[in-house]
Amino acid sequence: MDKYGLIGFPLGHSFSISYFNQKFQDEGIDAVYENFEIPTIDALPEVLDSNPNLRGLNVTIPYKEKVIPFLDSVSPEARAIGAVNVIRVTHQGNEIKLKGYNSDVIGFTQSIEPMLDKKWHKKALILGTGGASKAIDYGLRNLGLETVFVSRYERPGTIQYPTITPEVVKEYNVIVNCTPLGMYPKTEECPALPYEAMDQHTILYDLIYNPDETLFMKRGAQYGAQTKNGLEMLLLQAFASWEFWHEK
């Protein structure tokens, strides 16, 4: 039986395990998906050695960047982003070959593209600077938008929340939340932004999918902003993972 899985730490409720095991059941695929909660990325070889039937992995925080040195090859897109969240595992004789991909960028661009209007949406704020935010940046720039990263800390190439004025929100009217702010159970939190400056041309996209509507989305919607959570992106990412694992 083929095996697929997720590496990360910590792994609480994971979307991937329920999605893929349901898919295998529904489509009569003789495979299983497991969570591999590893406290350090150095435990990856052990996971591979003890699961000889492993065909593919998803990678979540904090290993999307740390996993790259362990890979034999990386797709051009994942290399440009600097983060990997899908690994294809192939066995060549006694050798295991690992190839890294990034499905975050595919899931995100396919999900946000229908919301964008070239006339109105030219600049975007990316909240957060983690592994996912790099894929979001790559995707937005591929769609023709200018991007700026927002961080709580003074970091090169970022702006900080106190500098985001109503004028900035009018100009950078696509805002993507790549931070965990507002995620269950801390649903009463949201990024500190001038929400009152938003209108029907504002797009608020939240990578969080639990709860369905975060406070970030709710506060923007009060002023007419278009909002979307991360569930569709996750589904599209999962489709892309499956494609990468079975590339001819």
Side-chain angles (χ1 to χ4, degrees), residues 55-69:
R55 297 288 173 264
L57 287 167
N58 289 116
V59 184
T60 189
I61 47 178
Y63 301 136
K64 289 184 183 189
E65 292 143 303
K66 292 176 184 163
V67 77
I68 293 173

Side-chain angles (χ1 to χ4, degrees), residues 16-137:
S16 302
I17 194 168
S18 43
Y19 170 81
F20 280 110
N21 283 321
Q22 191 64 51
K23 176 186 172 71
F24 298 154
Q25 196 179 328
D26 293 348
E27 298 179 24
I29 298 167
D30 188 26
V32 65
Y33 191 101
E34 285 181 15
N35 280 353
F36 299 103
E37 191 172 63
I38 53 175
T40 160
I41 193 62
D42 296 324
L44 176 60
E46 195 185 320
V47 169
L48 295 164
D49 289 344
S50 50
N51 295 279
N53 51 345
L54 201 55
R55 297 288 173 264
L57 287 167
N58 289 116
V59 184
T60 189
I61 47 178
Y63 301 136
K64 289 184 183 189
E65 292 143 303
K66 292 176 184 163
V67 77
I68 293 173
F70 290 82
L71 308 176
D72 298 290
S73 58
V74 176
S75 74
E77 212 164 36
R79 174 84 57 207
I81 294 162
V84 160
N85 73 326
V86 181
I87 299 170
R88 183 183 181 187
V89 183
T90 50
H91 297 261
Q92 298 173 1
N94 292 330
E95 276 193 297
I96 297 172
K97 294 286 182 194
L98 304 179
K99 182 169 183 183
Y101 303 85
N102 192 301
S103 66
D104 279 338
V105 68
I106 298 169
F108 173 69
T109 47
Q110 288 179 351
S111 179
I112 198 167
E113 195 169 17
M115 301 175 79
L116 298 171
D117 180 335
K118 283 190 165 50
K119 183 180 159 195
W120 293 105
H121 302 122
K122 296 181 168 71
K123 297 183 179 182
L125 294 178
I126 299 168
L127 312 182
T129 54
S133 65
K134 291 180 176 180
I136 300 311
D137 177 51

